Amino acid sequence: MKLGREISDGGRFVRQPNRFTARIEADGEYPPEAGRYQLYASYACPWAHRSLIVRELLGLQDVVGVTIVDPIRDEKGWRVPGGDPVTGTEYLSELYLATDPDYQGRYTVPCVWDVTTKRLVTNDYPQITLTLETAFAPWHAEGAPDLYPAGLREEIDALNAIIFDGFNNGVYKAGFATSQEAYDDAVTKVFATLDLLEERLAGRPYLHGDALTESDVRLYPTLARFDAVYHSHFKCAIRRLTDYPVLWAYARRLYAIPAFRDTTDFDQIKRHYFITQTNINPSQIVPQGPEIDWTVG
C-alpha cells in the first residue's frame, strides 16, 4: 500500500480508515449538548455533504455549529477562509495535530470538534449523520423526518453498505485506479449498482418506501456529482445519471427539498475535483457544463 495515495500494489484504490471514532452519546465521554460541537465540512466533498444535509433536515443549525472549508485543497490540506472563528485555526490539519501530534494520514472532512475538551471527537463520516439522527434527537425541529427509524435500521444499514461499496466509494475506485483491471472491475460495479437502484426506485418515491431515510441522504451526494464530475473525471462514462429515467427523476425530487438544494454547490464541486486532483487532471482546467436543469420536475 502506498501511504497517502491509498493505492494497492494491484492499482486498486483503498480508502484510508477513519482515525478518530469516538462517539457522541448520552452518559459517554462526549455527551450531546447544544453548542458544544463544531462540524467541519466542505460543499465539495460528498462525505461532508451528507452531514450538511442531515443537519438542515433535522433543524440542528443552532445546536451543532458548522465551519465550511475552501473547496481547493493544497499541500497543507483543507483551508478555512479567513480563519476559523471557533478555534482560530487556518487549516483543518491544525485540529488533527492538536488532537494527535503524531497523526500522519489525510486531514478529512467531515469531522467534529469538541469545544469543551478542545479536541477532535470524530472524522468517522458514516457515524456522524447517524449521531445527528439519534444522539441529538432531543433537539430535532418539530416535524423533522425520522431518517433512521428503529424498525428499519437493519434494512437501512444493509442497503447503505451496497450503496457505499458499489457507488459512493465505487466511483473513487474507478477514478483512482491505476490498472485497467482495477478500473474495469470498479466501473462495472458502479453501473451494476445504478441499475439495481433504478429498479428499486421504480414505483416508490424513496429507497425505503414513502419516507425519506438515511439511505437517500447517502445516495444523493454521489448522484449530484455524477454527470458533472464522475462521468468524465473518474471515467464512469458508460451512462449518465440523466440516462436513468427513474433515478434522474428521484435525484431532482430530492434536489427540490431545501436541505438538499441549499447544500449543493456545483461550482465548488467542480473546482474541487478538477483543480485539486492533479494526478487525474494535471492541467487543472475546469470544464464547462454539462448544461442540466435540476429544477425540472
Side-chain angles (χ1 to χ4, degrees):
M1 180 79 66
K2 298 175 182 177
L3 186 63
R5 289 186 62 208
E6 303 171 280
I7 302 297
S8 73
D9 292 336
R12 298 178 187 275
F13 172 72
V14 181
R15 185 167 293 280
Q16 168 187 292
N18 298 312
R19 162 64 179 82
F20 302 99
T21 57
R23 298 286 183 90
I24 298 172
E25 53 190 357
D27 302 321
E29 181 181 2
Y30 301 100
E33 297 174 9
R36 175 167 174 170
Y37 299 99
Q38 188 77 3
L39 171 67
Y40 290 80
S42 165
Y43 290 124
C45 171
W47 318 106
H49 191 179
R50 60 170 69 165
S51 298
L52 295 171
I53 292 170
V54 169
R55 178 175 172 269
E56 293 207 15
L57 278 173
L58 301 180
L60 294 173
Q61 294 94 324
D62 295 330
V63 178
V64 178
V66 69
T67 296
I68 300 296
V69 298
D70 192 283
I72 309 303
R73 276 200 322 252
D74 60 19
E75 65 279 358
K76 294 182 180 180
W78 298 101
R79 183 178 66 88
V80 181
D84 180 22
V86 175
T87 63
T89 56
E90 185 180 0
Y91 284 91
L92 190 62
S93 58
E94 297 172 52
L95 303 185
Y96 275 77
L97 295 173
T99 306
D100 179 3
D102 296 323
Y103 181 77
Q104 295 182 358
R106 289 189 298 109
Y107 310 110
T108 61
V109 288
C111 58
V112 176
W113 175 263
D114 179 9
V115 175
T116 299
T117 62
K118 294 181 172 52
R119 61 184 293 113
L120 278 181
V121 177
T122 179
N123 70 336
D124 188 11
Y125 59 88
Q127 183 60 39
I128 289 174
T129 50
L130 299 181
T131 296
L132 295 176
E133 293 156 6
T134 55
F136 285 90
W139 294 275
H140 290 180
E142 184 177 355
D146 184 356
L147 297 173
Y148 199 49
L152 275 179
R153 288 181 185 179
E154 185 174 345
E155 183 180 342
I156 289 171
D157 291 344
L159 184 58
N160 288 352
I162 292 171
I163 292 171
F164 172 80
D165 184 52
F167 193 51
N168 297 148
N169 197 46
V171 295
Y172 283 85
K173 289 189 285 186
F176 288 148
T178 59
S179 73
Q180 188 69 48
E181 181 182 9
Y183 163 76
D184 288 342
D185 289 347
V187 81
T188 298
K189 194 165 189 177
V190 165
F191 286 95
T193 305
L194 283 171
D195 292 343
L196 180 152
L197 295 169
E198 176 84 353
E199 182 178 354
R200 183 183 181 94
L201 283 162
R204 67 173 83 183
Y206 302 110
L207 287 168
H208 293 284
D210 294 331
L212 191 69
T213 67
E214 168 77 9
S215 294
D216 301 291
V217 172
R218 293 195 182 200
L219 177 57
Y220 172 81
T222 310
L223 292 178
R225 288 156 177 76
F226 198 80
D227 286 5
V229 174
Y230 302 146
H231 182 265
S232 59
H233 185 62
F234 279 175
K235 307 181 190 69
C236 294
I238 296 175
R239 288 179 292 279
R240 301 164 301 171
L241 171 61
T242 53
D243 294 325
Y244 287 90
V246 175
L247 272 168
W248 177 222
Y250 162 82
R252 285 177 290 169
R253 190 161 57 249
L254 293 180
Y255 182 79
I257 300 171
F260 289 81
R261 182 182 63 248
D262 295 347
T263 57
T264 303
D265 189 318
F266 290 110
D267 174 67
Q268 291 202 31
I269 288 168
K270 289 175 61 178
R271 288 193 293 119
H272 167 71
Y273 283 95
F274 288 106
I275 293 176
T276 299
Q277 295 171 355
T278 54
N279 58 319
I280 300 177
N281 186 42
S283 70
Q284 298 183 294
I285 293 172
V286 180
Q288 297 188 30
E291 293 184 356
I292 299 173
D293 188 353
W294 277 79
T295 64
V296 176

